[in-house]
Amino acid sequence: RQAHAEGLDAREDLDGAFIRVGGEFFYPSMYPNDGGFSVDGYISMFRFRKGVVDYKGRWVKTPRWKANRAANRQLFGNYRNPFFDDPSVKGMSRSTANTHILPWRGQLLALKEDSRPTAVDLHTLETKVANYTYWACATSQITSDMRRVVPSSTPFIRLTSTAPGGSSGRQAPRL
């Protein structure tokens, strides 16, 4: 969508985009003391081209987001604590995809430190694949939301923590 802004003078030669991810509750939290990182992921893009700035925003449609929409209410309890969730979502990915984005192979990966990434279309911001697994070779249930920029000649480095997954009861290997 185009919007007119008084006093804004976008440069004609500027051609690019500013893309960010953040969050907001689509449905209110189940508990008043829930943390700020429990919010649903929202990606927005400001596109600069020929002196015009366009804005686009989309919810990251994770399995969590879809389950909440289907129930028309919040089903997930306190931040990173599945024991407070509604029983109907037991075992479902709790990803909110709200902490970081990473450009990867012509798409964006919306990240959350306790879940696998969600692949999002680079141009439309529509959700493509929830629980993205990097060619199905990733076995960990979670991926770090911290990225490391490396030269293009270096293979992609993917960081994980709590490798067996969340509250599986299994110990993660110590490094």
Side-chain angles (χ1 to χ4, degrees), residues 60-64 91-97 109-110 114-119 127-138 140-143 158:
V60 183
K61 296 175 182 159
T62 63
R64 171 190 167 120
M92 182 180 289
S93 170
R94 304 181 87 250
S95 177
T96 54
L109 298 181
D114 63 357
S115 307
R116 288 183 175 161
T118 300
T127 302
K128 292 170 56 175
V129 179
N131 296 314
Y132 186 78
T133 61
Y134 308 94
W135 316 286
C137 64
S140 173
Q141 294 300 309
I142 53 182
T143 299
R158 181 175 164 267

Side-chain angles (χ1 to χ4, degrees), residues 5-170:
E6 300 264 338
L8 177 66
D9 187 22
R11 293 178 19 197
E12 289 284 329
D13 63 337
L14 191 58
D15 187 3
F18 171 71
I19 304 172
R20 64 185 180 179
V21 67
E24 182 61 62
F25 280 112
F26 195 89
Y27 293 103
S29 174
M30 290 173 69
Y31 301 98
N33 64 342
D34 200 3
F37 287 111
S38 243
V39 296
D40 298 296
Y42 190 84
I43 292 184
S44 54
M45 174 172 55
F46 294 90
R47 178 74 170 100
F48 302 88
R49 190 178 333 169
K50 298 181 181 176
V52 176
V53 181
D54 291 321
Y55 172 82
K56 184 180 292 184
R58 300 279 186 268
W59 291 99
V60 183
K61 296 175 182 159
T62 63
R64 171 190 167 120
W65 186 89
K66 289 178 181 180
N68 285 339
R69 288 284 290 159
N72 202 31
R73 67 183 182 92
Q74 184 63 252
L75 298 171
F76 295 83
N78 282 338
Y79 175 66
R80 294 184 77 169
N81 189 338
F83 301 107
F84 287 93
D85 293 350
D86 186 276
S88 67
V89 296
K90 183 176 180 157
M92 182 180 289
S93 170
R94 304 181 87 250
S95 177
T96 54
N98 67 6
T99 52
H100 198 59
I101 51 174
L102 173 71
W104 175 249
R105 302 178 68 86
Q107 61 194 356
L108 298 170
L109 298 181
L111 306 176
K112 177 76 169 122
E113 74 274 358
D114 63 357
S115 307
R116 288 183 175 161
T118 300
V120 175
D121 186 276
L122 179 63
H123 303 288
T124 65
L125 303 183
E126 291 295 335
T127 302
K128 292 170 56 175
V129 179
N131 296 314
Y132 186 78
T133 61
Y134 308 94
W135 316 286
C137 64
T139 58
S140 173
Q141 294 300 309
I142 53 182
T143 299
S144 173
D145 63 341
M146 309 305 171
R147 80 179 204 190
R148 174 92 173 122
V149 178
V150 294
S152 60
S153 62
T154 304
F156 177 73
I157 298 172
R158 181 175 164 267
L159 304 173
T160 64
S161 61
T162 321
S167 56
S168 66
R170 294 170 37 208

